[in-house]
Amino acid sequence: MTTVYNFSAGPAVLPKDVLLQTQQELLDWHGSGMSVMEMSHRGPEFTQIIQEAEADLRDLMAIPAHYKVLFLQGGATTQFSAIPLNLIGRTGKADYVNTGHWSKGAIAEARRYGDIHVAASGEDRQFTYIPDLTRWQVRPDAAYLHYTPNETIGGVEFQSVPTVGDIPLVADMSSNILSRPVDVSRFGLIYAGAQKNIGPSGLVIVIVREDLLGHALPLTPKLMNYQLVADNDSMLNTPATFAVYVAGLIFKWLKAKGGVAAMEQINIAKADKIYAAIDGSQGFYRNPIDIACRSRMNIPFVLHDDALNAAFLKEAADHRLLQLKGHKSVGGMRASIYNAMPMDGVDALVSFMQDFAGRHT
Ligand SMILES: *Cc1c(COP(=O)(O)O)cnc(C)c1O
């Protein structure tokens, strides 16, 4: 089998061990004689699968008992609507921090449902930094404050959870969930599309404090109503059963690796190596983000001469380093190094970057 290192931003690399286990269990899950894909979502086998997935996620993130864990569909983007539909009803107002592409998407969607105010924005400097917390203008009657802890496209990441008083904090953790410990009790709601650090695309996980439920706008579709979904254990209709199963295997893989704290140490080491290669290249490569908010998960970089981009990508692919092309809105390259990217992949990328720079300077 060809071994490649896949630096895609998502859907992204999954742990080899998990893929192998999926393959082994594909036709016959634990002696059931059935594939997980073929099982009733209400049967005892799948009930065990989804309950274990939830229990393992609760363990990994130390999710307090007064938070619900919901397994939903439609990716993170559907939550851009579901969040205001469920949470804005208390005051009709919500505040958002705009740190880039995904924040903007969430803001645009939320505007359909109420009075939306941008409390802070990094747009004046092309989203290369995070506005200082002292300058955030959060309305005291905002029903919640939404932010994006890691901007997957821009490569900007919050290094700590902002302190915002009593206003429920809502976080789109799609691209950095489970990459570092977070204190869930600081949040009103956390959500994450699965295809970066959790598993197959389509699945989205919502972790929500119980007291925020019950304020959904009357027009909220049934399948987006958190209260109804919670009351029905994420089985209001057929959940994305196979995706939940794979996510559950990833959670077990993470626990075996020492959990989120151990993962954070590896992620710091991986990111440090790539940023060191960029910063040590004497201007051949450049990352435009303020050092204090550089992402550990998604590392965009440009070459000093755009004319070299095609050669870089071609030669990288020859070295089996794939999906390094940057998002069209940023240009250049982007290396996404989620939990499942092994250190060997980072080492291979760094030595290729150094070799390429040496030959093209
Ligand atoms: C990928 C991503 C999304 C969109 O996820 P979909 O599953 O495609 O809807 C939203 N927010 C962030 C931060 C992302 O990285």
Side-chain angles (χ1 to χ4, degrees):
M1 205 183 94
T2 313
T3 302
V4 302
Y5 292 114
N6 170 11
F7 293 92
S8 169
V13 58
L14 295 174
K16 273 269 145 27
D17 292 347
V18 168
L19 292 176
L20 281 170
Q21 188 177 350
T22 310
Q23 181 185 43
Q24 276 155 15
E25 297 179 344
L26 188 68
L27 299 185
D28 178 7
W29 184 83
H30 294 201
S32 66
M34 277 183 280
S35 173
V36 174
M37 275 184 272
E38 304 171 299
M39 288 173 181
S40 163
H41 57 294
R42 302 195 189 278
E45 294 92 349
F46 187 74
T47 302
Q48 181 190 332
I49 287 170
I50 195 167
Q51 285 177 354
E52 262 181 47
E54 176 175 340
D56 286 333
L57 181 64
R58 283 185 177 278
D59 246 23
L60 281 165
M61 294 183 69
I63 300 173
H66 61 294
Y67 284 71
K68 295 283 189 193
V69 175
L70 312 177
F71 295 91
L72 296 161
Q73 302 183 56
T77 306
T78 303
Q79 296 309 311
F80 292 171
S81 309
I83 286 161
L85 281 165
N86 280 278
L87 303 187
I88 208 168
R90 224 162 29 82
T91 66
K93 300 181 180 183
D95 287 9
Y96 280 68
V97 177
N98 182 8
T99 49
H101 178 96
W102 291 114
S103 304
K104 273 188 165 176
I107 292 165
E109 204 60 24
R111 289 199 196 280
R112 301 174 194 278
Y113 305 105
D115 171 359
I116 304 300
H117 163 72
V118 176
S121 172
E123 192 152 24
D124 58 336
R125 282 171 46 203
Q126 290 78 49
F127 299 118
T128 54
Y129 77 113
I130 293 170
D132 195 79
L133 193 56
T134 56
R135 292 194 290 125
W136 291 18
Q137 294 180 325
V138 183
R139 296 178 297 184
D141 56 346
Y144 63 88
L145 175 68
H146 179 285
Y147 83 114
T148 310
N150 184 61
E151 283 283 357
T152 321
I153 289 174
V156 170
E157 184 171 16
F158 284 74
Q159 302 304 328
S160 59
V161 179
T163 306
V164 294
D166 292 337
I167 296 172
L169 194 55
V170 173
D172 176 0
M173 275 189 204
S174 293
S175 52
N176 70 349
I177 193 167
L178 298 169
S179 71
R180 54 165 78 208
V182 289
D183 177 356
V184 174
S185 73
R186 300 276 307 276
F187 297 87
L189 185 149
I190 291 169
Y191 66 110
Q195 69 273 30
K196 281 99 185 200
N197 254 341
I198 294 176
S201 59
L203 173 68
V204 52
I205 290 179
V206 172
I207 301 164
V208 57
R209 215 173 66 206
E210 271 169 4
D211 64 281
L212 297 177
L213 302 180
H215 301 283
L217 299 180
L219 53 66
T220 306
K222 164 174 116 166
L223 287 174
M224 288 188 183
N225 186 312
Y226 297 148
Q227 179 83 66
L228 292 178
V229 174
D231 290 347
N232 289 276
D233 299 322
S234 301
M235 301 264 188
L236 212 46
N237 73 333
T238 316
T241 51
F242 198 76
V244 170
Y245 155 69
V246 177
L249 295 182
I250 303 264
F251 299 154
K252 289 196 190 299
W253 174 83
L254 271 172
K255 287 175 87 172
K257 290 259 166 205
V260 175
M263 210 35 78
E264 176 180 43
Q265 293 312 311
I266 300 170
N267 288 330
I268 290 171
K270 288 192 303 189
D272 280 353
K273 282 186 181 180
I274 297 178
Y275 285 117
I278 293 168
D279 296 341
S281 70
Q282 286 161 352
F284 191 90
Y285 303 110
R286 200 170 56 79
N287 168 277
I289 307 305
D290 274 10
I291 289 180
C293 49
R294 284 173 158 183
S295 171
R296 291 178 189 161
M297 293 285 103
N298 311 94
I299 306 183
F301 59 94
V302 292
L303 278 60
H304 73 96
D305 179 1
D306 272 345
L308 290 170
N309 287 353
F312 183 94
L313 289 167
K314 159 83 175 61
E315 291 185 30
D318 292 344
H319 287 77
R320 302 183 170 177
L321 306 169
L322 303 183
Q323 308 263 14
L324 284 162
K325 193 172 170 25
H327 190 270
K328 58 184 184 299
S329 63
V330 176
M333 309 298 152
R334 173 175 47 168
S336 295
I337 49 170
Y338 300 115
N339 287 343
M341 171 58 66
M343 187 63 84
D344 287 352
V346 168
D347 290 336
L349 174 62
V350 164
S351 64
F352 168 73
M353 286 170 68
Q354 289 165 344
D355 175 61
F356 185 88
R359 284 182 293 104
H360 292 273
T361 304

